[in-house]
Structures are given as structure tokens and as C-alpha cells.
Amino acid sequence: MITDFAKLDRAFNPRTVVVIGDKGDNKYMWLTTQSEFKGNLYSVQIAPQEFEGIEALGVKNYTSLMDVPGPVDLVIVSVPRVVAPRVLDDCIRKDVAAAHFFTSGFAETSTEEGINLEKILTQKAAAANFHLVGPNCMGIFNPLSGVKQSPSQYSGISGPIGFISQSGTHAVNFSIEANLHGLNINKSVSFGNGIVLDSADYLEYFGRDEDIKAIGIYIEGPKDGQRFFRVLKDVAAKKPVVIWKGGRTDAGSRAIASHTGSLAAQAAIWDAAVRQCGAVTAANLDELVDILKAIIFLKPVKGDRVAVTGGSGGLSVAVADAFAEAGLSLPKLTQKSYDEFATFFSLIGGGYQNPVDTGNANAREMKRILDILEADENIDNIVLLLTARFKSMYLTDKIINATVDVRNASPKPVAAIVSHSFSPEYVGNAQTLINKLQEGGIPTFVSLERGAQAIRKTFEYYRMKNGR
Amino acid sequence: MITDFAKLDRAFNPRTVVVIGDKGDNKYMWLTTQSEFKGNLYSVQIAPQEFEGIEALGVKNYTSLMDVPGPVDLVIVSVPRVVAPRVLDDCIRKDVAAAHFFTSGFAETSTEEGINLEKILTQKAAAANFHLVGPNCMGIFNPLSGVKQSPSQYSGISGPIGFISQSGTHAVNFSIEANLHGLNINKSVSFGNGIVLDSADYLEYFGRDEDIKAIGIYIEGPKDGQRFFRVLKDVAAKKPVVIWKGGRTDAGSRAIASHTGSLAAQAAIWDAAVRQCGAVTAANLDELVDILKAIIFLKPVKGDRVAVTGGSGGLSVAVADAFAEAGLSLPKLTQKSYDEFATFFSLIGGGYQNPVDTGNANAREMKRILDILEADENIDNIVLLLTARFKSMYLTDKIINATVDVRNASPKPVAAIVSHSFSPEYVGNAQTLINKLQEGGIPTFVSLERGAQAIRKTFEYYRMKNGR
């Protein structure tokens, strides 16, 4: 396979998309998913009983791909597995830029028929150097153009993240979860069995795409490990890459076999190889979101020493434990800082070791507190704590503005953590705070553990980058 | 100090509560907090400028505690620290059952004045065998009687949990968070500096209370370690006790010094001592909620072998990893089970190793799937996966009903995990599912990692209990 990046460009920014085999039985899932697509959308379906349903969606149907007018950039294939090879023949004959095979039931089923059909697809695509995405996957998501993997995804906006996923579930979940945390996708691909285009191809492509500032990956196992790590090293030298490896345990590896049929690697060996390439490891989807967010937003993290402010005395202990357990240090401040605090800090109900509690009247002095921490030589990073159970948005706004001012003026990384509770109201409040803080360039995390871990991983990223 | 449990009974189920020193400056915080209290609520305040504000709350004010009519069960003290000893004298003279000192600024400030004042309070209380809660704390919460630690707490309902906390923030946060996860407080105390009544006293008291079925503790350090562990062993033999220790790291220990002034113990030694007593350790507030929930709801966990069903193929790998990393096993099912699955399971888009995927049509057969898992000899525990992004509540209800039926008929523990996203809508949906499942006796957790960890810890609890 010789990857033609111009063809991938067409597939990821399509002007014409054709869905083959969508049916009323699956509620015309793929045509519906593309309802916000800004280009030409056509259907190919030969079953007469489907014609009316397709036309009702406002989509023109053809009974052959060859009849679709003009060049086709992306075909989405949703036919039974036995029909898949014939559809691939048509795609090759029509010279479409790429085809995404949603169709599953191949090698991942461990059946003779599935394995044979997969072999046929692979051989046909290889012979024609055809750009096949999948099979057994959710394909391409480009929110700006409106090509989606699921109706629950957003469109009309764009972000800095490229996402590559061996799992359709994780591709969709990541895009939704990251968006809810204020981090948006530029381009994403779910590639499933990856029989033709594999992880390394998408990685190379996203590495060249200047709109993509950081890359997230969910992978179960690359087909060609050597090539994957070679490409990873090249791309990680240009932009941050964060990788969540599925199947880190024996039980996980067994589950992989029936999911995408990939070979599993031992977790420790995998992690070492990833770090060797200058990329960052993540343990799950939340961590992937958090680390990408931290890397995109934070100024370079130059050390592990953190000052934390905000919150009450009871929380301080939990803060200190969470940061220390993530491998960050909360050192004492300089005597100069303590002397300055002593001139105005209310002692009762607050403390100014580190964390600097502001559970009481001290919260009103946040600009002064942050300026002291900014100037403190013992401190590399500043973290603000806020609660989503706020009483006065006026005071909260004042605190946020002060923090944004310090963030803009200082070379030190500034992050925030919003503690909340498991309720729609608190999560809504937390999102309001997250949006305000992130508009001001301050990455905001939703728990102590998650914030501490994201900062720690970003520190590791800069340490690798600077060859330490 | 000789603990008089009859006096604690009066303090935790008061008929008359008096707030001393509440002021307009703090928005009459303590009188407002008790606005749902079902008994007699009085104020003692000598400052004339406060009289009008207190009367406006519908609360009768006296200028001396001695003037309050009848016996007083609980006094809440919110005066400046220098006045605290005089107020304690009055409480002793009036023979009130117990007094909660919200007042802070004692040994936790590491100042001479604070340390001296704390010594005076301690000596006066000791001489009179007076039941002093605190100081520097949020006191008592009994939702049924409406005595609260914070206006944000609930009232009018009651649950099975006793909660003992050295931190007021954690006491309040735990009650709110646990409630949002469907687990309610019976009685809770925040005891701060614990200069008279300490953790062991409350533990002994809650141990004797038959309405309390399980006890949660947040502790930074007991004053008398030997007595604490002796009491813990006694109580843990009667009911489950789960302990979150603050200050597990050096940084956390330093933060403790300025919070409650307790001595920190090394984490590993502490954990070993807790387990020796038959109690369970938790690493943070979320884990405390989850483990208590698991222990309250689950039938005895007899082994570490788990079958998981629900969710799609992509999720299976993450499920297997999360459970394996928590120290649980996801074994293969018996051949008998696989043979039964083969008679009806749709292979494409699903798999029936373990986890048993039901991302497709198989979800409609949940009762059959669960019955097979229930009968499988390789399986000790059953876990159902659901998503809060449900399309049809009809199918979800069908799945929940099937699971409740199996839970009721089987001696095997049955739990559920609801995956969701960080949005008010999904969290609202997740709560709907959690409530339905927990009404049916199935503890429900909000992430794979949290669910796996709670089941693992419950397994450890039963292993200790059965002396293995």
C-alpha cells in the first residue's frame, strides 16, 4: 500500500459522500448520521422497498455506484459481509478516493467465512492500491464538514485534536467527552480491523496536517509494529501524541481477539516503546482527554513543583495527597512569600503553607495570592481550586479574572480544578466554570486526581521533548 | 473522659438546639442551617444589633444560655475563640448534653494563643466530663431530625450510613455525594480537633447504634491510636467499617498540621493496622461512597471471578482491563454456557467470551444471558453494563427488570455500571438508571474503574470477615 495523502485529504474533507446499503431496518443510520454534511450526499441501494424511505430523507438514490454523478470522495459501506467484495469492486471501478466499511463479521468473528472474506477484501484493495477504511469500524469524523461517525456528534465547529481509534465506540465517546470538557476534534478516524490503511497511515497523515496540533490514539495493536513506532517517532517530534493502549491485561488481550483480532503486546514493553518515541501513555479515555487538554493549553511545564490555592482546610490534605501520589511535589514556599502572606492573610479558617487555603475571606485577595505564588522561586506550576457549589458568581468571576491575568503575564503553567458533585446542577455549574477558565487559556480538570495526573504527564512530555 | 452514650443519643437526636453567637455578618449561618430542624430552636446572642435579624428568622433569642427554658440537648457555638471558654462554662452549668464548637483558631493555627485556649477548653471539659464536639468542626448531621452541618444537606429521609469525619468539608461533601449516588446518612459527625470526644468515641457510639448498618470514616490521625484500633476491631466485628485516611503522603501530612494538628502515620503501617482490625481502606471520597454502597447492597462476595455483560465490543477491552487492573478476574465461561449462547446469540457485532457484548440485538435477550451467567460455575459475580446515552427507555427498563429478577433469585452478587459523559443531561440519565437499579437492590457505579474497585474491596471485606 502506497498511501496517497491527496486521496486521504479528499476522504477527510469530502465534497461528495455516498452511502451504500442503508436500510429502514437500521433506521437509515448512515444517511441520518450525515444529515449535517455540507456537501453532496447520495445513496446507493438496490432494494425497491427502501427507495421511499431514502427519498423521504431528501437523499437521491441510485441503484449502482457507477450512476452517481461526478467524482466521489468517500463511500460509506453498510452491506452484508458477503456483498462487501462486490461493493469494493465498484468503488475501485468508480475510482472513489476512499471507502469506509462499516460492515463487520470478518476475522474478528474467528469464523472461516469471516477470515476468508477479509482476505478477499485485503487482496482486492492491495491490487488496486485502494484506500479502504476498516472494515468493522465507524469511519471518519470531520466536524467542520459535517461528516460524522454518529448522530450524537457535533458539527459546525472545529478544534486542534486529531484522533485515531481502533474502536468505534471509543472514537465516538472520545469526541463527545472531549467536547464536553471543552476540547474539540479536527479530524478523527475509527479504523476497526485496519486491513489496508492501518494506525501508522493515519498517524503519518495527521502528522502532516497543520490544523492538527495534538494527536490522541486508542489502539489495540498495530499490524506492523516496527512501522508504527517509526512513524510515531517522526510524528511525536513534530507534535504531541498521547496513546491509550487497550488490552493492557491478559483479560483485555482476550477481549481484543474477538473485537478487532489484533495481537496484544505486553503493557510494560509497549509503554517503554511509546516513551522511547517521545509519545505519552494514557490509561483510559478520561486520561486521554485530560492529558491532551493539558498539553494543548499549558505553557511548557519545566518542573514538578506545584503551588495550589483555593478550597478549604479539609480539602488541603486531599489536595496534597492527590498531587504527591501523582508524582508531583507541593514544596514549602520561600520565606519571602510567607512574609508577604502574613501582611494580609486571615489565619483563622485558612492556612498558607502549600496548599494555600482560601476557604474564608482570603478568596477576595486571589490576585495578590497568585502574584506571590507566581514570583515564588520554589514553584514551577500554579493550580487554582474552585467548587461548582459556588455561592456568589461575582466572587468566582473575580477569582477567574485574576487567574487569567496571571496566566497571561507569567511563563509558569497555570491550571484549574473544579470540584463538583454527581448531579446535573453541579455538572452544569462545573461546565460554566470550565468554559470561562478555558476561554482564558487555563485548562480545567474535574477532580484532584485527574488534574494532578494530567499535569504530571505533561511534565513528562516536556522532559522527553527536552531530552532529559 | 467517660463517654455517656445517653448524652450522645440526646445530642444526635436532639429535641432542643441552641445556637450561641450567630451573627448577621455570617448570614446567621447556623440558625439558617437548622431551619428544617423539627424540635425547639433557640438563639443566644448578647449583641443588641443582632436581635432583629434573629427574630426575623422566627427564632427566639436569649441573652444567656441559662435563660433558655427546659433541658438543652445540643448547643452550637459560633463565638470568637477568646469567648469560647466562657461559653463552655455556661454549657456545663446548664448541663447541656453536648456542645458543638464551630469556633476555630486553636492548636491548628500553631499560635501560642490558640494552643493555650485549646488547653483551657480541654481541661474545663475534662473536669466536668463534658461532651464537647470539636472545636474547629461542622458538628452533627441527622437528616431525620433535621439537624444539619450545612444548608446544602438534605433532611426528612434517613439511610443506613454512619459517617465520622475529622474534616467538616469532607463530612458535608460525603453526605451530598453519597446521597446523589443513592446512599443516605443515618448520623454523621465532623469532629475537627477532637480535643475531648475523639474518633474512637464516635466509632464506639455508632457501633452500638442498630440503625447504622455500615460506618464510613475520614480521619487524619486519632489522638489515641491504641484505643482507636481496639474500638475499631470491636466495631468491625459487628458491622462494616470503611476508612479514608488523609495525609497518606508527606505533603498530605504537612497539610494536616495546619488543618487539625493531628499526627500523621505512615500510610503502609496505617493500612496494615486497619486491615488487621477487619476494616476496609479507601483512597478518597469517591471510593468511600462506592465501597460503602457495594457492601450495603451486594450479597456476600465469595470469589474474584466476574462475568460482565452489556456494552459494545470496543468497550469490552476497556472492561476487561479495568477489572483485571482492580485485581478481579474475568474467566472464560464453562463450555455449557458457550453452547447455550450459540443457540441464540447474534455473532456479528457481539461476542460471548467474557465480557459478553450486547451492543446489538442481543440486548433483547438479557434475561436469557443473565440466567446463563447465573448458572455458570466459573462465575462468582455478575456485572451489568448500561449507558446513560440510551435510545429506548423501554429496552433499558426490560434489561433492568431482568437483572433485578436474577439478583433476587440468586445468591451471586449482582452489580451495575452506568457509563455516561460529563454533561447535565447524561448525569441526569445516569441518576435515573442508578435509582431504578438500586431500588431493585443492585448497587450501581458510574465508571468501570470505580465499579471494579468497589467489588474488589467488598471481596476483600468478606475474605477478612471469613478469616481467609
Side-chain angles (χ1 to χ4, degrees), chain A residues 441-460:
Chain A
I442 297 164
T444 305
F445 306 96
V446 300
S447 79
L448 295 174
E449 289 79 10
R450 289 179 63 173
Q453 179 71 352
I455 295 168
R456 168 73 205 184
K457 287 281 187 167
T458 306
F459 173 50
E460 281 173 23

Side-chain angles (χ1 to χ4, degrees), chain A residues 81 104-105 109 111 152 167 169-170 172-173 176-177 180-181 218 220 244-249 251-256 258-259 284 312-318 320-321 324-325 330-332 347-349 353 355 389 420-424 426-428 430-431 434 446 449, chain B residues 81 104-105 109 111 152 167 169-170 172-173 176-177 180-181 218 220 244-249 251-256 258-259 284 312-318 320-321 324-325 330-332 347-349 353 355 389 420-424 426-428 430-431 434 446 449:
Chain A
R81 59 180 175 175
S104 62
T109 59
T111 59
S152 51
S167 149
T169 304
H170 291 321
V172 174
N173 286 351
I176 292 171
E177 194 67 32
L180 290 168
H181 286 268
Y218 169 77
E220 296 180 350
W244 171 25
K245 168 77 169 71
R248 301 181 54 77
T249 62
S253 300
R254 274 203 304 279
I256 282 179
S258 65
H259 180 225
N284 54 41
S312 77
L315 217 50
S316 294
V317 179
D321 278 342
E325 279 171 354
L330 266 75
K332 289 201 174 189
L347 193 63
I348 294 176
Q353 293 266 311
R389 212 159 65 215
H420 62 284
S421 303
F422 193 72
S423 82
Y426 292 137
V427 168
Q431 272 181 330
I434 290 170
V446 300
E449 289 79 10
Chain B
R81 59 179 174 176
S104 62
T109 59
T111 58
S152 52
S167 148
T169 304
H170 292 321
V172 173
N173 285 352
I176 293 171
E177 194 67 32
L180 290 168
H181 286 268
Y218 169 77
E220 296 179 353
W244 171 23
K245 168 78 169 69
R248 301 180 55 79
T249 62
S253 300
R254 275 203 304 280
I256 282 180
S258 65
H259 180 223
N284 54 42
S312 77
L315 217 50
S316 297
V317 179
D321 278 343
E325 279 171 354
L330 264 76
K332 289 202 175 190
L347 194 62
I348 294 175
Q353 292 269 311
R389 213 161 62 213
H420 62 284
S421 303
F422 192 72
S423 82
Y426 292 137
V427 168
Q431 273 181 330
I434 290 170
V446 299
E449 289 79 8

